[in-house]
Amino acid sequence: MSFPQPKPEVPQLPQNLLRTIDCQQGAVRAVRFNADGNYLLSCGSDKSLKLWSVSRGTLLKTYSGHGYEVLDADGSYDNSQLCSCSSDKTVILWDVATGQVTRKLRGHAGKVNCVQFNEEATVILSGSIDGTVRCWDTRSRKFDPIQILDEAQDGVSSLKVSEHELLTGSVDGRVRRYDLRMGQLHVDFINSPITCVCFSADGQCTLTSSLDSTVRLLDKSTGEMLGEYTGHKMKGYKLDCCLSSKDTHVLSCSEDGHVYCWDLVEGSLMLKLPVGKAVVQSLSFHPSETRLLTAMEGLASYR
Amino acid sequence: MASDSDSDGDFVTFGTPLEPLEEDEPLRKPVPLYEQTVKDEKGRYQRFHGAFTGGFSAGYFNTVGTKEGWTPATFVSSRQQKAGRQNARPEDFMDEEDLGDHGIAPRQITTTADFASGRKDVIRDKARAITSLSAPIPGDTVLEDLVAPARSSMGVELLRKMGWKDGQGVGPRVKRRLCKQRADSATRAFGSASPPNGSSESQDEEDGEFVPENVTFAPKDVTPIDFTPKVDLHGLGYRGLNPLAALRGGPGAGHINLFTMDSDRTNSLFGEDRKGQRRRGGVAGQGFGVGAMEDDDEDIYHRDIMSNYDTVLGGEEPGNGLYGWTAPQQYNRKKKDHSKDAAYLGKILEGFTLASDKLETKTIFPPPNLPRDFRPVHYFRPVVDLSSVSPMVAQALQTSRGHMAQEEPSKGGRHQLDSAQRRELLGEATLQGPSSVFDLLKVEDRERLSSLRRPSSDTSSGPRQPTPGEARAAVVAAGVAAAAARASAQKALSSRFAPHAEQQQQEALSVWSGPTAQAQTGQTFKPFERTPHKQARYDLYIDQLKQGDRDALELSLDPTMTEWERGRERDEFVRAALLYKPSSSSLSCRFTRGKQDDGVEADTVEVTRDQENDVDDKQAAVKMKMFGKLTRDTFEWHPDNLLCKRFNIPDPYPGSGFVGMPKVKRDKFSVFNFLTVSESPTASASPAPQGVKPSEPGKRSRWDVSGQAGDKERKEKDPVSEFLSVARIEASGSGPEASTTDGPTTDPTVEPDTEQKEEEEEEESRPSMDLFKAIFASSSDEKSSSSSEGESEEEEEKEEGVRSKAGTGPQISNQLNVNTTQPAPPVSTTPSQHPDILFKTPSGPAAAPPPRDQEMEEEEFGPRLPPPSSTLTERRPSPTPSAKDDKHKKKCKEKHKAKKHGKHKKDKKQKKKHKRHKHKGKQKKTKKEESSDSSSEGSDGNGQEDGEEGGGVSTEELLRRLKSIRGKNLQ
């Protein structure tokens, strides 16, 4: 009787560059995995949104319709719809297959920084530089938002949605968590403009990166700081941070061309992943595997 | 539902699947019609057709019981149950279908015997019996009456307890005699035509009965009306063939009266044969013709008698005491006649009756008592112009005229006062500025308007509003005038009426020739519309009034009319003109002048109810890395109901009427609005270009590139700051200097040295920043919000305003010059680099004040986006590690922004547009813009370098300057 071969240990951090895609759409403002991680979206500064196959690295579709550079995008859970936001103050809901604009949502007074579907893709949430988060209904034909969250005192730079919560990071240095179930708004003061916020996979923590070159892991319920991750450089640009798929590591972009990976618990720098010379602008972690997507200038790299 | 083997798990199957068809199986025969049967829940067949559709379903497909026919039921002896078995009811043979809703004996909810009256009431029974005659089975109810339960209703029980007995009426006991008399008089009241019946009857009763004096009797019972519904199809009053009467035969039955007569029926019912004839055997009657045994056949053909029919509605009552529905004639009469004196009864003449109505007596009112000194001569008081006589006399006149006295037009009721009059009464100061729109116009404009209006004014006069005080005055005057006209000669009219009319004419003239009246176009009120000629004359009169013609009245009147007519018309015109004077005052009192220039904002503003905790505490907590309670605020927040629905979440606040945070209204400029959110200047010590920007609620979108909200705010604040600066300049006596802001740029590199020096000196006399902050709470807030670079210009202005409080007029102008010449690095102008603050916060890189940059406002706000291409990035100056100065870092950032400048040309142009839009009319701004434009447009490809270089040079320059200042200061 022989024991089964032990599984080769899955590397905890993506280290090898698998593919680099020249997106050819100007600066890539954001790269995002889709819900299952098989496709990726790249938001270009040439007003286009592109859908790529991760495994083959081929361009599948180009979505053009924005009037200015695309800043963020998200895919619905069933991969049937995309939403993207742009500096042209609009949010666009796309049909994936046809590439047509399903809905163009106007209402923000400034460029729209971030956009997210909710879990069932019934609502699009978009945060804008005008300090509001607007909740758009994808089910109705109305073009008015369901609700406008104007609690932020400055622009909303980042936004994440969980099952019943909405996490927004604002340039006024506050992370706001709207709890729809409880009907409460929790405001955590960070004292530095927030560039990116994330939920942890277990939904107990929030990760915030701010312009004081610090990434903080906060307890969601109490607001206490569980960890602080420094070493990278995030001073002026709106860069992303994220957690690994298993919540083991914290990753953040840096202005020095690296992606920094810290151990979540210990807070020690585990990896300083060189990406390039320029600023690593966006990154996205694969929802299930240890795959990392980074965007630097016009290139999206997959590792 | 067939499903593939693969996708078995994916599909849900509903219903029972059809049996799989086999290829070789022959097609089934269709089911024949007789086999297509439907059974009910008991297995019995239900029929949908046949002769007895809807009837009993007793057959086997239209036959009996089974296929074979009747099956005899097995015999069961019921001998033992004989005693227990009562007579069978029809219901015993019915099944539930018959008793169901649609069966032949549906069960319905009816009143039970508990609630029915069980009284053995003879009269009631009679009444019921009467109605039972018309029932299909005569005498049906008799049986029911026999078996009625010995039970009486609660009301009867109560009545019995109170002493009531069966057969009596309800009410107080009465004396029999009185009853009788009333009945008697009632019959008498029928009139002379028909007295004999009633009187004789009453006479009989009186004779037959002994009536003791002190005995009272219960009132007569009243026959209740039996509200038995009419169920047959007979005509009204027709009762059908009575089998009893028909079969009885006899001469009385020769004609069966088919029409109801109450008395007839009751009599026949109780066996009182009217004719007293014995009954003969055999079948006889109208319905059966004449039998062989009949003796007399003379009466077989019915000859109807007209006396059987009522010729008058509500005829005479049958005297049997059964008062029917319309019975109470006697009672009615009794009421009428109750006052009649019984003593008269005997003295009434034969053939006369007592009148039922009393004669009305005429009331005669005596003439009023005349006062002793009354003289039956009327004279008219002279009309005196109140303004022309002494006040004493005027008062005496007014009081002498009482309430009809002529009042001053301005003394109309409280509600008729216009705003100016109220203001005078209240003692308020007059509003500053012009009272009407016309006052705001220039003189020539006004003239032009009026000249425009004049040609078209033939048909125009304004909508006028009546002033009741004047109206009353006019009416009084008219009354006076009319009386005078009637009373005295033409001469007297002219002498008395003229002064007052003159005054009114003057008034009308003054009203109509005013500037506001000139503006009135399109006449809406035409008082004499019915007579076009008169209206035309009136229009002419109004037009001439408008032109200020003094004898407008005389000109407009028709000279062909008589003197009297003209007098009247003159009077009417003046009155109408006064009544419908132009609405200048009424209009102007509706509009108030805005207190603020923009006039957009209300005095109150909606503020979120829950305010954030002190930001200073939080900052301290953040510095100590004590996140948690100190840095967390929790608010009540109401999500939209639809949002909850979309998130599949129950609404946490069902029924709450609002969404978002609960708001309260507060004064807009209340200090308390900003107490909790105001920040100390140390907020600017936060490391990055951020700012906790606690601003006024509702003004958050200051990043807005297109400047929607920013514009609004700027609109609101700019005038204030400018005003302040101007005021300061004037106070310091260097007013004219302010105009140099518009002038050409002076050399910025040479002068600022001395200027800043001066500024430093003046800094000593300046109050502490806290004071300014307290005064300019919002502006200081903005100062700390470094991330809102879009407002930096505005902030500069504010800063200038603050500085100019120190009384440095020239300094302002020079600073503005600096602005205009150096677009990129205006270190000296930004508030954070103001020496006062700058030197107090030297605490390392983290404490670097947020960069505030001229460039930034043309750039992105908040965290920027990285540059798109590495070639440019490489040229980007590496962030100097805080070696030189804490400011350096900041400058680097500024350079980043400058970089962007060159990269996105289009972007930039757009923003330029915005800027132009924003600062329209401000020359200094446009000037600066031009310079920046030139710098950027001159370098298309490498604008970044340009910006960088410019920034570098100026930075060094400024550093040098600052150092020198510091040095001097230290000295």
Side-chain angles (χ1 to χ4, degrees), chain A residues 109 111 129 150 154 174 193, chain B residues 612 690 700 703-704 787 860:
Chain A
K111 65 175 191 176
I129 202 170
D150 56 354
D154 213 326
R174 287 170 180 83
Chain B
E612 222 177 323
Q690 64 100 27
R700 283 154 190 143
W703 278 16
D704 183 9
S787 61
E860 302 290 328

Side-chain angles (χ1 to χ4, degrees), chain A residues 29 68 109 111 120 129 137 147 150 152 154 164 171 174 183 185 187-189 193 221 228 236 238 297, chain B residues 612 625 631-635 637 640 646 648-649 653 690 700-701 703-704 787 860 864 866 870 873 907:
Chain A
R29 291 306 182 198
Y68 215 147
K111 65 175 191 176
E120 296 177 345
I129 202 170
D137 194 353
Q147 190 172 0
D150 56 354
D154 213 326
H164 63 277
V171 184
R174 287 170 180 83
L185 164 63
V187 181
D188 285 323
F189 184 73
S221 53
E228 194 177 24
K238 178 192 171 309
E297 295 170 342
Chain B
E612 222 177 323
K625 298 190 175 175
T631 58
R632 166 158 287 206
D633 293 302
T634 300
F635 305 115
W637 176 74
D640 194 278
R646 292 277 182 264
N648 283 331
I649 281 169
Y653 302 102
Q690 64 100 27
R700 283 154 190 143
S701 55
W703 278 16
D704 183 9
S787 61
E860 302 290 328
R864 289 146 296 143
S870 61
T873 338
D907 178 12

Side-chain angles (χ1 to χ4, degrees), chain B residues 756-824:
Chain B
Q756 299 231 340
K757 164 103 168 88
E758 278 176 34
E759 183 191 335
E760 283 298 65
E761 286 166 1
E762 275 150 2
E763 218 73 325
E764 320 305 6
S765 62
R766 208 170 89 166
S768 73
M769 276 306 284
D770 290 340
L771 179 59
F772 293 126
K773 216 174 65 92
I775 298 169
F776 300 101
S778 57
S779 62
S780 72
D781 284 346
E782 258 137 49
K783 187 176 64 184
S784 65
S785 72
S786 55
S787 61
S788 58
E789 290 94 343
E791 306 297 310
S792 62
E793 276 195 355
E794 175 194 332
E795 283 157 20
E796 279 159 28
E797 284 182 8
K798 265 174 226 138
E799 191 60 25
E800 283 155 20
V802 171
R803 283 190 198 183
S804 59
K805 277 185 147 304
T808 59
Q811 177 214 341
I812 287 164
S813 65
N814 278 305
Q815 276 188 340
L816 291 169
N817 288 344
V818 169
N819 282 354
T820 52
T821 47
Q822 297 182 341

